[in-house]
Amino acid sequence: MSRATMNLTAGRIAAPRLSHLSWILLAVAVAVGFGLPAVVGSVLVLTLLTQAVIGGMLAVGVGFLIRQNGVVSFGHAAWYGVSAYCIGLLLRHEVLPVEAALLLALAVPTLMAFLLGLVIVRVPGVAFSMLTLAVGQAFHEFAMKAQAVTNGDDGFAIPLPDTLFGLPIATVQQPETMFVLCWTLLALVIFGLYVTVRSPFGRLTEAIRENEERARFIGYKTVLPRAATYAISAFVAALAGLLFALYNGFVSPEVLHWTLSGSALIMAVIGGSKLLWGPALGAVIFFFLKDLAGNLTEHWPAMIGVTVIVVTVLMPAGIAGSIVELGGRLRRTGGRA
């Protein structure tokens, strides 16, 4: 029996207080994001890093769902794409001011995911994954067929405003500025998820993941926490989609396709979902490996596949988990390999 399940059985799900180290690490992470553009210098590398950070945020949402609910989603591109289409359509038709449109573009997919989660979290294992895949592809097909709304396969350019929160939009879309924005938001998201998993809610969802039947037996409702976890992971994916739309100024059905969900899952596997920052590390590795392999051969997906196999076999906890494990061994042995 896991510690989370034991605490749940005993009625103890109080969360430990955050340490000062947690806040220091958050501050360091944000400072690194502000300093990296000056160190990197290359616009191409910064652009690739920005794409990796946005992809990393999507992967963090997928990894959070795996970590807390113990299930795999093949359809998280739905919430990524719905957010991108929401902001695109709202700005295209000038329905709301841009700031309000941003909030609505995050609220719509999160609410939709929560309502859907109330139904699909009741289905276990592979069936859950197939349902998420079906939902994601349904959104993709709608975007393809609804020519009058989405412009079909061609997509449409998003008419961005002149300013965003008082800043010129041209400044926001620069690789340096967008990288700092995306990096900072990713750091805040990971920190927010860290606070969530250490809260009573996080302890409860971990215990439900370990033994849902026992949680029900002692009086806890399990559907609502699992649906809320699904909605939180969808919110993270929606934030990534929103950043993608703002950075590229364009949206098409590709942002809803299952291959994007598959790529996010691969990132989470490479980095490791047991640690909240693992999928983000996996995203950076994925994007740079994809860019490097793409320059060498057109069969770059095969190299990604080999990487996933090697990581799965040799590092079940992912690269992030292996790094932490290695660090622990070095501390125990006094720095000797």
Side-chain angles (χ1 to χ4, degrees):
M1 187 186 302
S2 69
R3 180 178 298 178
T5 307
M6 292 174 62
N7 289 340
L8 184 64
T9 304
R12 300 191 306 271
I13 54 173
R17 299 176 64 180
L18 294 177
S19 64
H20 294 298
L21 179 60
S22 304
W23 296 99
I24 293 173
L25 289 176
L26 174 62
V28 169
V30 173
V32 168
F34 276 88
L36 266 178
V39 175
V40 173
S42 171
V43 175
L44 178 60
V45 174
L46 274 178
T47 300
L48 190 61
L49 278 173
T50 303
Q51 294 174 353
V53 171
I54 294 174
M57 192 174 296
L58 174 60
V60 165
V62 174
F64 177 75
L65 183 64
I66 297 172
R67 186 188 190 280
Q68 294 303 114
N69 275 7
V71 291
V72 174
S73 171
F74 290 145
H76 254 51
W79 316 124
Y80 182 94
V82 166
S83 176
Y85 267 104
C86 275
I87 189 64
L89 291 172
L90 289 172
L91 293 182
R92 189 182 187 186
H93 298 288
E94 299 181 348
V95 178
L96 293 170
V98 61
E99 291 79 9
L102 293 175
L103 296 177
L104 191 60
L106 292 175
V108 168
T110 304
L111 179 60
M112 291 175 66
F114 177 72
L115 296 176
L116 179 66
L118 291 174
V119 178
I120 65 173
V121 297
R122 303 169 189 265
V123 182
V126 176
F128 174 88
S129 301
M130 292 299 101
L131 279 174
T132 59
L133 175 61
V135 170
Q137 285 305 100
F139 279 110
H140 177 263
E141 287 302 310
F142 175 81
M144 292 284 288
K145 303 298 183 184
Q147 293 275 349
V149 179
T150 65
N151 203 32
D153 190 35
D154 293 330
F156 60 90
I158 300 174
L160 296 173
D162 295 332
T163 60
L164 181 63
F165 293 106
L167 295 174
I169 195 65
T171 302
V172 175
Q173 285 195 300
Q174 289 178 359
E176 299 88 351
T177 308
M178 184 56 73
F179 170 77
V180 171
L181 174 63
C182 294
W183 178 282
T184 302
L185 287 175
L186 177 60
L188 292 174
V189 163
I190 293 175
F191 184 76
L193 295 180
Y194 172 73
V195 173
T196 301
V197 300
R198 289 171 61 87
S199 68
F201 171 80
R203 301 299 191 190
L204 174 60
T205 53
E206 286 180 9
I208 293 172
R209 179 199 66 203
E210 294 297 326
N211 196 322
E212 186 172 359
E213 185 177 356
R214 184 185 295 273
R216 287 201 194 102
F217 180 76
I218 61 178
Y220 286 97
K221 304 295 184 181
T222 61
V223 172
L224 193 62
R226 288 171 65 84
T229 300
Y230 184 66
I232 293 171
S233 69
F235 171 82
V236 177
L239 181 58
L242 183 62
L243 293 172
F244 170 87
L246 291 177
Y247 187 43
N248 291 276
F250 181 81
V251 63
S252 72
E254 289 183 0
V255 299
L256 292 161
H257 200 260
W258 69 267
T259 53
L260 180 59
S261 300
S263 296
L265 181 58
I266 289 173
M267 297 171 200
V269 170
I270 292 175
S273 59
K274 289 185 178 181
L275 296 168
L276 293 172
W277 53 271
L281 175 63
V284 174
I285 295 171
F286 176 89
F287 272 90
F288 277 92
L289 181 60
K290 176 182 175 181
D291 184 69
L292 177 62
N295 292 332
L296 298 176
T297 174
E298 61 181 9
H299 303 295
W300 61 265
M303 297 183 67
I304 298 291
V306 170
T307 302
V308 172
I309 293 172
V310 170
V311 170
T312 303
V313 173
L314 299 181
M315 294 176 282
I319 294 177
S322 297
I323 291 173
V324 172
E325 183 180 354
L326 178 60
R329 289 181 179 178
L330 290 175
R331 284 196 301 271
R332 288 193 298 270
T333 59
R336 298 187 300 275

